[in-house]
């Protein structure tokens, strides 16, 4: 919508001369000259009145200005939304009306005789203002198209982009309603996707078949279709909705991409009218923008589907490698269990030996169970459930879970908090799993009487968790493979802990990095956004 000026000298002077409460300057759009648009406004109070309409397409009002260009009194409609004592003064250039001055009064309007020759001294400035208006009108579509192009390039939210298209189309064409419908190939129908300027009931408008309908013709012929009067068009379906919404004429453009028609963009007007070729071309440009937006989102969806397939293939490949690589690791504990069970059958052991053998079997089963659990956790996925979590409490809970091992290894664990409120929106179960993985790794490499430090802080506008150990550190040549599945430097490791940890952190839109602590030890740093967007 073009901005309304409040600094047009000719209007301000005339407003003071006639003693009006509010005054407005409307001009005809060119070349149709069938639509009045508010160009300037002034008020005795200095405030912009909300009752004034930004444009007028009322046929009777416009014909009265064009057929009898003399001042006339009216009650305000269709220029203002509430009845006012109002006088219209047509603006003439040569013999042709180019606009109208509107003066409204608190009390009864002055006699029309007092307005004769009222604007003669201002004809030149008012004509110059009309030229300014026409220049602004010509540049308006360009700014609107830039706006739409920007929204398309910066967003993959199709609903939001398409709503922006129909909203801007409604405003730019000064239409009553704009709607966008897409082709359903299975049902061979046009389905309502979004609309602007209509009632909620209109959004539930029935689908339009491609066969035997005017909008179906747009799709089949891939060309713009215009209807001067909907109620006289036999191929226009659902006339009852047009009557209910108060629309009469239609301009519809195909939304096509690479010769394939994806849908139709429609603009509806309240009066019967013929459309200029410039309007047809402009609406087709809008439709082309909509086609780009739809195609962008569909291509993005295809890319995401391909990425998901690649992830599944990569996971299956990794699991296949694991099956081959873990055969020996699984076979060894099974062989021990089998040997012990076989010995029990041939010669039952003494009670002390039997207790020892049972402990060995339990340990082997626990090891196998852990291996299988890690594998299943890497392969499976469950619903993401982010909630606010206090990391001070979370770390304390994890220390309690690991206290036996920490005490057994005689390791000092320190917690340092450098943030006022350590609350972050995360999936508690998953983030606990990630931190436990890092703590277990740290416990594996930290020697007796060593130290593990967890630091909570804020860094780069994000929540930071540093887990540092005093172990031997990680050789530089191993860092590139550290987060790869099944890569491990441990004698009994599975190589699944760090890949799982990174996946969990990335699910939280965060990052995990490794840094070496000078001569000894390593620090894993997790950076998390303070609020996860679902």
């Amino acid at each position: 919508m073009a901005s309304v000026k409040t600094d047009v000298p000719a209007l301000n002077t005339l407003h003071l001369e006639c003693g009006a409460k509010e005054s407005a300057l409307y001009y005809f759009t060119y070349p149709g000259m069938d639509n009045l648009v508010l160009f300037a406004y002034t008020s005795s109070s200095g405030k912009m009145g909300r009752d004034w309409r930004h444009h007028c397409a009322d046929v009777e009002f416009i014909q009265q200005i064009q057929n009898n260009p003399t001042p006339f009194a009216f009650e305000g409609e269709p220029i203002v939304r509430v009845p006012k004592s109002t006088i219209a003064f047509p603006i003439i250039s040569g013999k042709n009306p180019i606009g109208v001055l509107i003066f409204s009064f608190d009390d009864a309007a002055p006699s029309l005789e007092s307005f004769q020759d009222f604007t003669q001294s201002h004809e030149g400035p008012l004509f110059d203002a009309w030229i300014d208006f026409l220049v602004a009108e010509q540049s308006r579509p360009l700014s609107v198209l830039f706006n739409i192009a920007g929204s398309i390039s910066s967003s993959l939210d199709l609903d939001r982009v398409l709503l922006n298209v129909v909203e801007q189309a409604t405003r730019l064409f000064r239409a009553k309603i704009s709607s966008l419908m897409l082709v359903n190939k299975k049902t061979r129908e046009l389905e309502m996707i979004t609309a602007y300027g209509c009632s909620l009931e209109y959004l539930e408008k029935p689908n339009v078949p491609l066969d035997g309908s005017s909008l179906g013709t747009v799709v089949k012929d891939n060309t713009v279709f215009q209807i001067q009067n909907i109620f006289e068009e036999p191929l226009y379906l659902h006339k009852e909705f047009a009557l209910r919404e108060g629309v009469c004429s239609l301009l519809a453009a195909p939304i096509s991409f690479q010769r394939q028609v994806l849908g139709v963009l429609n603009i509806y007007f309240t009066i019967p009218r013929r459309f200029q070729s410039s309007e047809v071309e402009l609406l087709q440009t809008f439709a082309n923008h909509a086609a780009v937006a739809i195609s962008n989102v569909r291509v993005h969806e295809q890319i995401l589907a391909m990425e998901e397939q690649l992830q599944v293939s990569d996971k299956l490949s990794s699991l296949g490698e694991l099956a081959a690589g873990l055969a020996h690791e699984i076979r060894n504990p099974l062989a021990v269990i089998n040997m012990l069970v076989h010995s029990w059958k041939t010669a039952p052991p003494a009670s002390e030996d039997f207790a020892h053998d049972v402990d060995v079997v339990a340990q082997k089963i626990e090891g196998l169970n852990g291996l299988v659990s890690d594998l299943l956790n890497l392969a499976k996925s469950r619903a993401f459930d982010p909630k606010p979590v206090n990391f001070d409490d979370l770390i304390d809970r994890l220390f309690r879970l690991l206290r036996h091992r920490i005490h057994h290894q005689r390791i000092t664990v320190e917690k340092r908090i450098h943030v006022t409120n350590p609350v972050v929106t995360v999936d508690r179960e998953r983030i606990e799993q990630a931190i436990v993985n890092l703590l277990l790794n740290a416990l594996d490499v930290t020697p007796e009487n060593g130290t593990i430090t967890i630091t909570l802080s804020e860094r780069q506008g994000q929540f930071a968790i540093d887990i540092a150990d005093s172990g031997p550190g990680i050789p530089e040549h191993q860092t590139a493979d550290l987060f790869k599945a099944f890569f491990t430097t441990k004698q009994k490791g599975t190589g699944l802990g760090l890949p799982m940890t990174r996946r969990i952190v990335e699910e939280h839109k965060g990052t995990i990095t490794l840094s070496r602590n000078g001569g000894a030890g390593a620090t894993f740093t997790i950076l998390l956004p303070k609020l996860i967007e679902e």
Side-chain angles (χ1 to χ4, degrees):
M1 184 72 67
S3 59
V4 179
K5 295 181 179 294
T6 57
D7 57 350
V8 177
L11 175 64
N12 295 337
T13 301
L14 292 169
H15 171 76
L16 293 174
E17 289 180 2
C18 71
K21 180 184 179 183
E22 297 175 326
S23 301
L25 174 58
Y26 284 79
Y27 282 122
F28 282 110
T29 55
Y30 183 85
M33 306 297 284
D34 57 359
N35 202 340
L36 284 167
V37 176
L38 179 61
F39 178 67
Y41 170 89
T42 189
S43 169
S44 299
S45 65
K47 296 181 180 179
M48 177 67 184
R50 295 183 178 180
D51 296 332
W52 293 78
R53 301 185 189 277
H54 279 267
H55 71 282
C56 167
D58 185 84
V59 176
E60 293 183 4
F61 185 77
I62 289 174
Q63 286 180 347
Q64 188 170 2
I65 294 172
Q66 294 174 335
N67 297 336
N68 186 22
T70 57
F72 61 91
F74 66 106
E75 286 302 314
E77 287 286 349
I79 291 294
V80 289
R81 294 181 176 88
V82 295
K84 292 186 178 182
S85 177
T86 313
I87 287 181
F89 201 110
I91 304 170
I92 308 300
S93 177
K95 296 182 179 180
N96 301 312
I98 60 173
V100 63
L101 286 161
I102 307 293
F103 303 105
S104 73
F105 302 86
D106 275 339
D107 302 319
S111 64
L112 295 177
E113 288 75 12
S114 64
F115 282 87
Q116 298 297 330
D117 302 324
F118 181 61
T119 62
Q120 284 185 356
S121 61
H122 299 283
E123 284 182 355
L126 290 174
F127 179 81
D128 292 342
W130 184 53
I131 299 301
D132 292 341
F133 165 76
L134 295 179
V135 171
E137 283 290 290
Q138 292 299 314
S139 62
R140 205 163 61 94
L142 187 60
S143 63
V144 172
L145 291 174
F146 270 124
N147 175 288
I148 293 175
S151 69
I152 290 172
S153 62
S154 63
S155 174
L156 288 171
D157 185 341
L158 185 60
D159 291 339
R160 183 178 299 177
V161 172
L162 294 184
L163 179 59
N164 185 36
V165 170
V166 294
E167 179 180 355
Q168 295 298 333
T170 307
R171 295 179 180 276
L172 180 59
F173 286 91
R174 298 186 174 94
K176 176 66 166 57
I177 297 173
S178 292
S179 67
L180 192 148
M181 309 179 80
L182 293 184
V183 174
N184 186 321
K185 293 182 179 179
K186 293 182 179 180
T187 62
R188 289 188 55 76
E189 292 178 327
L190 282 165
E191 298 178 346
M192 178 72 70
I193 299 300
T194 188
Y196 184 82
C198 62
S199 65
L200 294 176
E201 290 78 9
Y202 187 81
L203 293 173
E204 302 300 323
K205 180 180 177 181
N207 294 343
V208 176
L210 297 183
D211 299 321
S213 68
S214 54
L215 295 183
T217 303
V218 177
V219 176
K220 290 181 178 179
D221 297 343
N222 195 8
T223 186
V224 175
F225 191 87
Q226 51 182 302
I227 303 176
Q228 186 175 357
N229 191 328
I230 287 172
F231 303 102
E232 297 176 357
E233 171 57 53
L235 291 181
Y236 186 87
L237 307 180
H238 311 307
K239 291 183 175 65
E240 68 278 8
F241 282 90
L243 181 63
R244 192 182 305 161
E245 298 295 325
V247 295
C248 185
S249 56
L250 164 68
L251 185 63
I255 301 171
S256 58
F257 186 77
Q258 295 182 345
R259 299 181 181 179
Q260 179 185 2
V261 179
L262 307 176
V264 179
L265 177 61
N266 312 294
I267 52 173
Y268 292 89
F269 299 84
T270 57
I271 60 173
R273 55 169 299 185
R274 295 183 182 277
F275 298 96
Q276 306 291 326
S277 59
S278 59
E279 293 176 305
V280 173
E281 293 173 359
L282 183 57
L283 184 63
Q284 186 60 70
T285 302
F286 266 80
N288 293 341
H289 277 73
V292 171
I294 295 168
S295 300
N296 282 351
V297 171
R298 289 183 176 178
V299 169
H300 180 68
E301 289 173 348
Q302 291 174 357
I303 291 174
L304 290 179
M306 291 175 61
E307 288 181 348
E308 188 174 342
Q309 290 177 357
L310 288 174
Q311 289 176 0
V312 172
S313 298
D314 185 61
K315 186 178 292 184
L316 291 174
S317 175
S318 298
L319 294 176
E321 291 180 18
L322 178 66
L326 295 182
H328 179 73
E329 191 168 344
I330 292 174
R331 188 180 295 116
N332 281 346
L334 287 178
V336 173
I337 294 171
N338 182 61
M339 180 184 65
L340 290 174
V341 172
H342 182 72
S343 68
W344 295 341
K345 291 179 179 180
T346 56
S351 58
E352 298 83 1
D353 295 335
F354 182 73
H356 175 268
D357 291 349
V358 169
D359 287 341
V360 172
V361 170
Q363 291 172 6
K364 298 300 180 183
I365 291 176
E366 183 180 358
L368 289 172
N369 184 59
L371 185 63
V372 172
S373 296
D374 281 348
L375 179 61
L376 292 177
N377 287 333
L378 183 65
K380 74 177 182 180
S381 60
R382 64 172 180 79
F384 192 66
D385 184 25
K387 294 178 181 177
V389 172
N390 188 310
F391 269 72
D392 189 4
D393 296 338
L394 184 146
I395 298 302
D396 286 343
R397 166 183 162 82
L398 297 183
F399 282 167
R400 286 194 298 270
L401 290 174
L402 298 171
R403 68 183 184 279
H404 177 74
R405 183 169 174 185
I406 292 170
H407 177 73
H408 179 73
Q409 293 184 214
R410 298 179 184 176
I411 290 175
T412 300
V413 177
E414 297 179 359
K415 179 181 66 174
R416 299 173 182 173
I417 300 179
H418 302 307
V419 59
T420 305
N421 183 25
V423 175
V424 186
T425 302
V426 294
D427 184 310
R428 186 182 189 105
E429 279 189 34
R430 298 191 186 195
I431 212 69
E432 278 187 355
Q433 181 184 357
I435 296 176
V436 163
N437 287 343
L438 295 178
L439 287 175
L440 288 174
N441 286 347
L443 286 167
D444 286 338
V445 299
T446 301
E448 189 173 309
N449 298 320
T451 302
I452 295 175
T453 305
I454 294 187
T455 305
L456 306 179
S457 62
E458 186 175 325
R459 196 175 308 154
Q460 303 170 4
Q462 294 182 299
F463 187 76
I465 308 157
D466 294 304
I467 300 177
D469 63 63
S470 56
I474 299 173
E476 187 173 357
H477 69 274
Q478 293 180 352
T479 56
D481 298 323
L482 208 56
F483 292 99
K484 290 183 179 180
F486 315 123
F487 175 81
T488 181
T489 58
K490 301 178 185 178
Q491 187 175 1
K492 297 182 180 180
T494 62
L496 299 175
L498 286 179
M500 288 170 57
T501 300
R502 182 171 68 174
R503 189 186 71 176
I504 291 169
V505 171
E506 290 176 349
E507 283 177 337
H508 287 77
K509 311 299 182 186
T511 58
I512 180 170
T513 56
L514 165 70
S515 58
R516 290 185 294 279
N517 303 335
T523 299
F524 284 91
T525 299
I526 295 175
L527 291 178
L528 296 173
K530 295 181 179 179
L531 182 64
I532 302 295
E533 295 184 4
E534 299 184 63

